Amino acid sequence: MRALVLFLLILPALTCAQFRYELDQSIPVTGAGNLTLKYPWSGGLNATQISTMDLNHDAKEDLVIFERMGDLVLTFLQQDGEYVHAPEYEVLFPEGITNWLLLRDFNNDGLKDIFTGDALGVKVYVNKTLAGGTLTWQPFLFFNGTSKGPLLLTKKTSKVPLQMTYDDLPSIADADGDGDLDIFSMDFPGASRIEYHRNFSVERYGTRDSLDFERVSTSWAGVRECACGVFAFNNGSCPTSGKENHAGGKSLFALDADNDGDTDMLFAEAECDQLFLFENESGDSNPANAVVNTAVAYPETFSMVNYPSPYSEDLDFDGVRDLVISPNLFFREFNETDFQQSVWFYKNTGTNILPSYSSVNKTFLQGDMIDVGDNAVPAFFDIDNDGDQDLLIGCYINHDYGAASVYFFENTGTSTEPHFEFVTDDYRSLSMLNHVNIKPKFADMNGDAKKDLVFTAQTGTVTQLYYIVNSGTTQADFSGSVTATGFTVLWREENITPADVNQDGLTDLIVGRLNGALDYWKNTGTPQSPTFTLEQANYLSLTSSVLRQNPSVAIGDLNNDGKDDLIYGDQTGKITLISKYREVADASGSITDIVYNSTLDEYMAQNLGGRIWPTITNLYGFPKPEIVTGNILGGLHILKNRFPTTGLPEETAGPVISVYPNPLPASQNLTVSADAAGSFRIFTVLGQPAGEPVEFTAGQPVQVSVDQLKGVYVVKFSIRGKTYSRKIVIR
């Protein structure tokens, strides 16, 4: 009995060991205009917030992007005068980052610290990285007179959290020239006036590290925003034709645009397509004395549809800070927004103290990526019957056509050395259907043993399932008419996956619902005329969940054992894998830590771009196929099995570790075991010890109490001289 219990404890880890992947960026891609893409598999960009810091201790400023629509951090290293995507650094940033991210060195130690949003205000993470070490962060705790907490405080009548709406972006800069960082934010909850919060760290303590804020102005420069492009000055009222517009967020960026010694301000708002400059005419270095009488388009008149927000960093390595403008959007609000051209780079041909911007590039970085705008949904099929997999990508909307289309990249390489080349952005002229949100797949819909082109498309809020019969003989032929199945879902982001679930030769459907549930719809028709009937709601016991929305499913044999596995992605950007899904009653044995991180030397659940759509395909001809994910940012990632041809040699793959159950209630003991002797210790996600070291022998489970813990923790193992980590959630 004891041996059986041990086997059951180790079984999840044995299963996980078969699914070990790494991000693969090696497959070359030729884009439109015969351009060789530098970062084809980096995942796309939509709403970027730009900062820089030295990630790898080479004394060069690397690029850190917070992608607001994907709710994730993207990292690029500076190497030989250009950027190189380095996703291994992305997971080193705290999970608490949300809404916005600005990197600023507030304590003058040479290390950039994190300022980010929170539902109740602002949070700060101090960079505690040791020389040559892995990025390490510690929350800054603010004292309100009686207790400490993580929310940034400012003094009004008393010390209170500096609040702002989730859609606001503050400015954090040394506005008064005293060496510490001040904050400009919109008044809360009014959001029509600019507040100035002065940092008194230097004045009161002689150092820059105290973050001691006090609101010294409730209406900086006497400016009031009334509506898009309509402002009142000198503390005046809004004009009769205008009104205070509090509906959307506001973005601020403090700078001295004309080198006259005072603080000017760039301003944008969510319902407006223009960036404005408030020029300070006071000539006074004290921001509390600012005088503004005009608002002018900056750096030129343009239209980005809505909410263009500015960032200033040296991005071409010439020592002068450039300007980047990108929409500060959380989701697509207007179909007119062009997310293929959403990162506008203005080169600074002037100086840092007197900038002059020119030569706009509207596709900074993203022009070198596979980027179809948003909602990139990949599908692979050997369309030309040359033995390799070609690539189709659906999108939400193609800006050039005003409707959704499908991009076609032909594989001009081989079945073992792929090379994708752009052919068209409107395969089969599907834009003529005048739909949005096309999601392509391939499945046999008419029982002729040939895969047809299947896709969902949205009209209004209704999404319907369509297909085009493959009438080809030697090559695929999708020139026939579009057939509507009549199967619909009522929410636009819900996902339909065709698959023969019960293996009766007919194509069934798995539907990922808005509430996070999976439904299994059985094909009760004939091979030539499919009809779908709900067979099982909450399939695999995946019921509604606030942590899982609109799951998108792919099915295939990932570990070459002759049995299909099921994977799904959702709004977290992470893949969940259910091994041998037809043989399990529920998803309790699902796996998420499958992506290898070379910096930490461990497997993790990595955000691959916010909402994701996975597919399974064989790109290299190995027995174990690849996973390719599309995402809300319009791009793709490739996950390649680290051991695609064989099992997992012990010295190469590392030990088999079991941490069970996970998640677990604090009232229950955590059980830990491994197939090799070693020790482990529990840490917080910020690296602080939360327990004493515990030694164990090979194959012998050890139980530890976690009744004093709550939240997310990391169990760090030391085995055979190497370190391994597993994340746990304690409720």
Side-chain angles (χ1 to χ4, degrees):
M1 182 64 182
R2 184 173 178 274
L4 176 60
V5 171
L6 176 61
F7 173 76
L8 292 175
L9 288 173
I10 296 179
L11 182 59
L14 291 172
T15 302
C16 182
Q18 304 174 63
F19 307 105
R20 297 190 168 188
Y21 296 89
E22 59 187 344
L23 285 164
D24 179 19
Q25 304 181 66
S26 65
I27 297 177
V29 177
T30 303
N34 204 33
L35 172 70
T36 299
L37 304 184
K38 295 179 183 178
Y39 331 104
W41 310 103
S42 296
L45 297 172
N46 279 0
T48 63
Q49 298 176 358
I50 302 288
S51 297
T52 60
M53 68 178 295
D54 185 3
L55 293 169
N56 58 346
H57 312 290
D58 64 354
K60 296 178 181 179
E61 290 290 281
D62 306 304
L63 184 61
V64 177
I65 298 174
F66 180 67
E67 231 310 330
R68 193 157 188 256
M69 284 183 64
D71 198 31
L72 80 158
V73 173
L74 302 173
T75 50
F76 291 78
L77 295 179
Q78 181 190 156
Q79 294 182 357
D80 301 322
E82 64 180 19
Y83 288 116
V84 177
H85 187 211
E88 62 271 21
Y89 292 93
E90 295 168 5
V91 298
L92 304 181
F93 285 78
E95 291 189 352
I97 295 174
T98 187
N99 292 341
W100 53 272
L101 166 66
L102 297 174
L103 294 175
R104 302 287 189 267
D105 181 9
F106 80 86
N107 54 8
N108 198 36
D109 64 354
L111 302 175
K112 295 281 186 74
D113 308 295
I114 290 173
F115 289 77
T116 186
D118 181 86
L120 299 176
V122 178
K123 292 182 297 188
V124 179
Y125 293 89
V126 185
N127 191 335
K128 292 292 187 178
T129 306
L130 300 177
T134 303
L135 279 178
T136 304
W137 309 92
Q138 177 179 310
F140 188 97
L141 299 180
F142 295 84
F143 184 61
N144 64 5
T146 58
S147 62
K148 290 184 177 182
L151 293 179
L152 185 146
L153 302 177
T154 188
K155 183 179 179 181
K156 296 179 181 179
T157 55
S158 61
K159 286 282 189 178
V160 295
L162 197 165
Q163 287 188 279
M164 61 187 69
T165 70
Y166 79 96
D167 221 11
D168 282 351
L169 182 64
S171 178
I172 302 174
D174 180 9
D176 56 6
D178 65 354
D180 53 27
L181 295 178
D182 310 299
I183 298 178
F184 294 91
S185 65
M186 300 304 298
D187 61 319
F188 180 87
S192 64
R193 300 178 185 270
I194 300 171
E195 295 186 341
Y196 167 44
H197 301 264
R198 185 180 178 187
N199 188 349
F200 285 89
S201 179
V202 169
E203 289 80 4
R204 293 170 178 168
Y205 310 106
T207 65
R208 305 181 187 182
D209 59 1
S210 296
L211 294 179
D212 188 2
F213 292 99
E214 182 174 331
R215 185 179 66 182
V216 297
S217 176
T218 59
S219 181
W220 174 83
V223 176
R224 173 181 290 181
E225 195 251 352
C226 303
C228 176
V230 180
F231 305 95
F233 301 102
N234 300 310
N235 290 312
S237 300
C238 287
T240 304
S241 59
K243 62 179 182 179
E244 292 187 8
N245 183 350
H246 303 160
K250 312 292 188 294
S251 174
L252 303 174
F253 186 84
L255 76 167
D256 185 358
D258 48 11
N259 192 29
D260 64 352
D262 56 26
T263 298
D264 308 305
M265 189 73 65
L266 297 182
F267 176 90
E269 69 121 323
E271 303 300 323
C272 207
D273 64 358
Q274 186 63 61
L275 183 64
F276 296 96
L277 170 66
F278 297 147
E279 182 181 350
N280 185 353
E281 301 173 9
S282 70
D284 192 330
S285 61
N286 184 351
N289 298 327
V291 175
V292 171
N293 292 300
T294 59
V296 297
Y298 189 89
E300 60 180 351
T301 300
F302 62 81
S303 175
M304 191 177 271
V305 179
N306 56 349
Y307 211 177
S309 298
Y311 310 89
S312 182
E313 299 284 359
D314 176 16
L315 299 179
D316 55 6
F317 321 120
D318 63 356
V320 182
R321 290 189 299 274
D322 308 294
L323 180 69
V324 172
I325 301 175
S326 186
N328 191 38
L329 299 176
F330 185 68
F331 62 92
R332 172 184 283 280
E333 187 173 357
F334 304 107
N335 285 348
E336 292 80 9
T337 303
D338 185 0
F339 283 124
Q340 283 186 292
Q341 300 186 73
S342 61
V343 189
W344 292 19
F345 168 79
Y346 286 84
K347 180 177 175 59
N348 186 354
T349 57
T351 64
N352 284 328
I353 61 174
L354 188 59
S356 177
Y357 300 114
S358 62
S359 60
V360 61
N361 170 11
K362 296 184 178 181
T363 59
F364 176 68
L365 291 183
Q366 69 183 155
D368 275 298
M369 301 177 181
I370 293 177
D371 191 331
V372 301
D374 55 337
N375 287 24
V377 182
F380 291 86
F381 187 61
D382 186 3
I383 293 175
D384 50 9
N385 197 32
D386 63 352
D388 53 37
Q389 296 294 301
D390 304 302
L391 169 62
L392 296 184
I393 311 172
C395 67
Y396 185 84
I397 193 168
N398 187 317
H399 188 71
D400 291 335
Y401 302 108
S405 67
V406 172
Y407 290 69
F408 174 39
F409 289 79
E410 181 183 357
N411 189 346
T412 57
T414 68
S415 60
T416 57
E417 296 183 0
H419 181 166
F420 291 99
E421 293 190 11
F422 172 83
V423 177
T424 179
D425 64 352
D426 194 13
Y427 183 72
R428 188 50 185 77
S429 298
L430 291 178
S431 68
M432 298 295 291
L433 296 176
N434 203 31
H435 293 312
V436 296
N437 214 14
I438 291 180
K439 303 174 183 178
K441 296 181 182 292
F442 290 96
D444 181 11
M445 299 297 291
N446 64 345
D448 63 357
K450 293 184 295 185
K451 288 190 175 182
D452 308 305
L453 174 56
V454 186
F455 63 94
T456 58
Q458 176 190 334
T459 303
T461 59
V462 176
T463 294
Q464 184 165 184
L465 181 68
Y466 302 87
Y467 66 91
I468 304 174
V469 170
N470 182 357
S471 58
T473 53
T474 58
Q475 293 186 356
D477 183 352
F478 301 116
S479 61
S481 60
V482 176
T483 300
T485 65
F487 186 86
T488 63
V489 293
L490 296 179
W491 300 102
R492 65 183 185 179
E493 296 298 342
E494 293 188 330
N495 296 287
I496 302 172
T497 300
D500 186 1
V501 176
N502 58 359
Q503 297 183 300
D504 64 352
L506 300 178
T507 297
D508 311 301
L509 302 177
I510 296 179
V511 179
R513 294 297 187 182
L514 173 69
N515 65 2
L518 280 188
D519 288 350
Y520 162 35
W521 291 74
K522 181 180 178 181
N523 188 343
T524 56
T526 65
Q528 295 75 29
S529 181
T531 302
F532 303 103
T533 304
L534 181 61
E535 179 73 8
Q536 184 179 345
N538 302 325
Y539 185 56
L540 296 173
S541 294
L542 289 173
T543 60
S544 62
S545 170
V546 296
L547 302 178
R548 178 182 59 248
Q549 300 171 11
N550 302 298
S552 176
V553 168
I555 291 172
D557 183 3
L558 287 168
N559 58 349
N560 194 37
D561 66 352
K563 298 179 180 181
D564 282 339
D565 310 297
L566 182 148
I567 57 176
Y568 69 83
D570 53 31
Q571 85 289 349
T572 66
K574 301 172 183 178
I575 290 176
T576 299
L577 189 153
I578 304 172
S579 179
K580 304 176 185 177
Y581 82 100
R582 292 189 181 94
E583 298 181 5
V584 300
D586 55 47
S588 59
S590 60
I591 305 163
T592 56
D593 294 337
I594 63 172
V595 182
Y596 180 68
N597 184 281
S598 58
T599 300
L600 300 176
D601 190 27
E602 63 181 88
Y603 291 87
M604 311 186 73
Q606 184 155 349
N607 186 341
L608 298 173
R611 178 166 286 115
I612 61 172
W613 293 268
T615 189
I616 297 169
T617 188
N618 197 311
L619 298 175
Y620 292 104
F622 293 128
K624 299 177 183 178
E626 287 69 48
I627 299 172
V628 180
T629 60
N631 60 39
I632 197 173
L633 307 180
L636 306 181
H637 288 96
I638 298 175
L639 294 178
K640 182 180 179 181
N641 197 303
R642 296 192 72 212
F643 310 95
T645 59
T646 64
L648 300 173
E650 178 181 290
E651 294 303 317
T652 303
V656 176
I657 298 171
S658 174
V659 180
Y660 181 86
N662 188 20
L664 78 157
S667 59
Q668 185 174 346
N669 288 341
L670 178 71
T671 302
V672 176
S673 66
D675 62 350
S679 64
F680 70 87
R681 191 175 188 180
I682 300 176
F683 292 83
T684 70
V685 291
L686 297 171
Q688 300 165 329
E692 297 299 320
V694 178
E695 295 185 354
F696 57 87
T697 57
Q700 297 296 318
V702 175
Q703 291 191 342
V704 294
S705 173
V706 294
D707 61 352
Q708 300 300 312
L709 306 179
K710 184 178 181 181
V712 180
Y713 293 84
V714 177
V715 185
K716 291 191 176 182
F717 293 82
S718 177
I719 301 175
R720 303 192 194 104
K722 291 186 177 182
T723 301
Y724 306 89
S725 299
R726 298 293 184 269
K727 188 179 296 184
I728 59 173
V729 178
I730 303 172
R731 296 170 177 167

